[in-house]
Amino acid sequence: MNATLSSGSLPVMRVHYAEILCQLVEERGVRRSDLVSVAGIRNSQLSHPDNFITLDQFTALCQQALTRCGDECLGLEYGKRLKFTAHGALSQAAISCDTLEQALAVLIKYFRIRFAYMSLAFFVEDEDAVIQLEIHHDTEKLHRFNIEVVMATLMDVNYLLFGTQLLDGGRCLVDYPRPEDVERYQYLFGGKVTFSAGVNQLRFRKSFLGLPMSLSNPVARRVAEAQCEEEMRQMEASASVSDRVLRLLESARDGRLPGLEDVAQQMGVSPRTLRRQLSAEGGGFHGLQESVRHQRARELLLRHSAMSIDEIAEHLGYSDPSNFGRAFRKWEGMSPSAWRRDNQT
């Protein structure tokens, strides 16, 4: 079970994202009513852009669209439809910054107000500036679709603002195998795509971080960021304590997960209060930690085939690989090596 599945019933997706997808598949000859009925969405919900749908509804809608269109690259086409105006205050805040580096900082900070089931990270590695995508609510059927949507959206905005400039020394890396219809990737990413890379990243020269934003506007940025902050507060208010703890655990990407005291401090409560709140929701901190470890273990075993079992155990924070083996047998009923073998064939 993925760590954030408990938040799937929360109304976290703006309905216009569903409306844009429906428009795309209607052009492919698929009836809108066939999609929305299966996803449990009312047609009346789609008529007002301020409405929300749940993550489970949006996931069901995407799965139906993929199945009925029969287009394995549908995520790329959908991502290109999500122009920067579709993201509202998030896009306005980013494009109003002074430099590309500032714009990326804004995008990373507020990304989840539009895609609550994913997160972006940004870092510099050697001569590359790296944007890395992590997916927290996923099914195997939608894994590639979700990555395609975000990568295509980012590239579409890039072309709008910088043309082909960032393609000089830039490239895209994705963690799934090379598809048959690779030409559509080559067109979007300038032919610089690496498949089965173990990560999902867009890379470009770090020297471009200082590029000026042509639409820089300090006043517009302040207004848009204030709206993003308000939307973040609304999301926090609707989230359970368990969901907030999971989000903090998932945000730690360097292996060892933070402990109860660290998470409580970040949430502004005492460890005792946090234990009591989680207990009131029918859970506990250790169970949430194990849920995140389980999810990451599956991801590492399946998508990082070059990592040994001992390396994965160390990455997950286990000092003794045998402890990881015992934990994994409890989760999956078999050893990590057997699970990897069965799921890679």
Side-chain angles (χ1 to χ4, degrees):
M1 175 179 175
N2 288 328
T4 56
L5 287 178
S6 60
S7 62
S9 60
L10 292 176
V12 293
M13 292 293 300
R14 287 190 175 272
V15 76
H16 71 269
Y17 286 98
E19 170 67 16
I20 294 170
L21 181 58
C22 286
Q23 291 173 1
L24 173 61
V25 298
E26 279 183 317
E27 294 172 10
R28 308 289 184 92
V30 178
R31 293 187 304 176
R32 173 186 301 238
S33 58
D34 292 339
L35 291 181
V36 297
S37 61
V38 173
I41 302 171
R42 300 187 306 276
N43 276 317
S44 58
Q45 286 180 272
L46 300 176
S47 61
H48 199 293
D50 289 335
N51 285 341
F52 287 82
I53 58 175
T54 69
L55 183 52
D56 287 343
Q57 288 175 320
F58 185 67
T59 297
L61 189 75
C62 293
Q63 289 176 328
Q64 283 297 310
L66 266 177
T67 300
R68 293 175 184 272
C69 286
D71 181 0
E72 292 187 348
C73 291
L74 187 67
L76 292 179
E77 302 305 317
Y78 178 46
K80 289 189 290 184
R81 290 292 182 97
L82 298 178
K83 305 300 183 182
F84 81 94
T85 52
H87 308 299
L90 173 61
S91 291
Q92 186 61 57
I95 67 173
S96 300
C97 291
D98 294 332
T99 65
L100 175 56
E101 186 169 18
Q102 290 178 8
L104 288 174
V106 168
L107 178 64
I108 300 306
K109 182 177 181 181
Y110 298 115
F111 185 73
R112 66 184 181 87
I113 68 173
R114 290 296 176 264
F115 296 98
Y117 55 105
M118 306 187 212
S119 63
L120 289 178
F122 170 73
F123 54 91
V124 173
E125 186 175 272
D126 298 326
E127 297 303 311
D128 286 347
V130 184
I131 304 171
Q132 181 162 301
L133 173 66
E134 301 285 352
I135 300 176
H136 305 304
H137 179 113
D138 194 21
T139 65
E140 286 301 318
K141 291 182 179 179
L142 285 179
H143 181 75
R144 172 181 161 185
F145 177 87
N146 285 328
I147 296 166
E148 287 180 341
V149 170
V150 176
M151 297 304 193
T153 297
L154 292 174
M155 289 301 297
D156 191 73
V157 175
N158 161 60
Y159 284 127
L160 174 69
L161 297 176
F162 302 107
T164 60
Q165 189 171 6
L166 298 189
L167 293 180
D168 179 15
R171 60 194 187 279
C172 175
L173 296 85
V174 294
D175 67 3
Y176 49 85
R178 179 187 176 95
E180 292 183 6
D181 195 1
V182 74
E183 290 79 11
R184 289 156 78 176
Y185 282 84
Q186 293 171 339
Y187 171 79
L188 187 61
F189 301 105
K192 301 174 182 178
V193 186
T194 301
F195 297 96
S196 299
V199 292
N200 299 295
Q201 297 177 343
L202 288 176
R203 288 175 169 258
F204 58 93
R205 297 184 191 276
K206 69 177 183 181
S207 57
F208 290 144
L209 288 172
L211 285 174
M213 302 290 288
S214 59
L215 300 176
S216 174
N217 186 321
V219 175
R221 178 183 175 182
R222 286 197 299 271
V223 173
E225 281 206 70
Q227 185 174 339
C228 290
E229 287 287 348
E230 178 58 28
E231 292 187 38
M232 288 273 282
R233 285 193 290 270
Q234 292 175 3
M235 284 187 67
E236 290 294 336
S238 66
S240 67
V241 175
S242 297
D243 288 326
R244 293 168 62 193
V245 169
L246 279 169
R247 194 150 52 236
L248 289 171
L249 291 172
E250 289 167 346
S251 67
R253 304 306 302 181
D254 57 351
R256 189 175 299 278
L257 298 178
L260 175 68
E261 291 76 13
D262 294 328
V263 171
Q265 183 179 23
Q266 292 182 64
M267 295 178 65
V269 298
S270 69
R272 182 177 180 180
T273 297
L274 181 55
R275 284 195 191 94
R276 185 172 64 250
Q277 291 172 338
L278 291 172
S279 178
E281 293 180 358
F285 185 79
H286 179 71
L288 296 175
Q289 270 191 326
E290 289 303 288
S291 179
V292 174
R293 284 198 181 99
H294 182 194
Q295 178 190 20
R296 289 192 183 172
R298 289 168 57 99
E299 291 173 353
L300 292 169
L301 286 165
L302 193 60
R303 300 183 182 124
H304 296 259
S305 57
M307 292 182 70
S308 68
I309 302 300
D310 287 359
E311 288 172 334
I312 291 174
E314 182 180 2
H315 182 83
L316 293 172
Y318 290 92
S319 57
D320 184 347
S322 63
N323 291 336
F324 169 57
R326 282 192 290 271
F328 197 87
R329 287 185 182 89
K330 182 178 179 181
W331 297 328
E332 297 289 344
M334 64 179 70
S335 69
S337 57
W339 187 89
R340 170 184 268 175
R341 183 175 58 252
D342 289 350
N343 286 274
Q344 287 185 330
T345 56

